Amino acid sequence: MGVLGIGGLFFRSNDPSARAAWYREHLGIEAGAEGEDAVWMQEAGMTVFAPVAGTSESFAHDQPFMLNLRVSDLDALTAHLEGAGIVVERRTEWETEYGRFVRIHDPEGLPIELWEVLE
């Protein structure tokens, strides 16, 4: 008996339908607005679940969490996002032994870290 994985992520939104549509269009996540059925079948892989110190500079202090998504072909995805007018933040220190990272923000300002795992 034990926890098998994360069963869902629910977060407040000013416009749930529009925000869900943004996730579907730009990230391919089968997101649904409140009351809608939306099941996103993910590829198996590692998930990092880690509380961080309140003083951490890993992400903005006014955000209680940061969404980190594993991706493949980070270069193609970022080109797609930038083509849609989405700002992609890159930093040299985000090129690590664990993989490559970039950050974007959803329409309501939630930071999203995109992570391409290096194999």
Side-chain angles (χ1 to χ4, degrees):
M1 178 172 89
V3 175
L4 301 176
I6 295 173
L9 175 65
F10 306 91
F11 48 101
R12 299 187 190 286
S13 178
N14 295 320
D15 188 344
S17 293
R19 201 170 188 186
W22 185 90
Y23 279 87
R24 286 191 306 270
E25 178 182 348
H26 298 294
L27 298 176
I29 296 173
E30 289 302 318
E34 186 174 0
E36 295 177 4
D37 288 331
V39 176
W40 172 36
M41 299 302 293
Q42 305 168 58
E43 281 190 24
M46 64 180 121
T47 298
V48 177
F49 188 89
V52 298
T55 56
S56 172
E57 298 295 324
S58 297
F59 52 93
H61 291 274
D62 64 341
Q63 297 290 332
F65 66 92
M66 180 175 58
L67 179 58
N68 172 291
L69 301 171
R70 279 180 289 116
V71 305
S72 64
D73 199 348
L74 185 61
D75 293 330
L77 179 55
T78 56
H80 165 78
L81 294 168
E82 289 172 326
I86 297 169
V87 175
V88 176
E89 181 183 1
R90 296 171 176 82
R91 295 187 189 172
T92 55
E93 63 264 28
W94 293 346
E95 300 282 332
T96 74
E97 64 186 271
Y98 305 108
R100 301 171 53 213
F101 301 84
V102 300
R103 294 213 181 136
I104 61 173
H105 290 83
D106 81 2
E108 294 189 24
L110 179 70
I112 302 168
E113 185 169 72
L114 304 176
W115 172 28
E116 181 177 41
V117 179
L118 295 180
E119 298 188 28

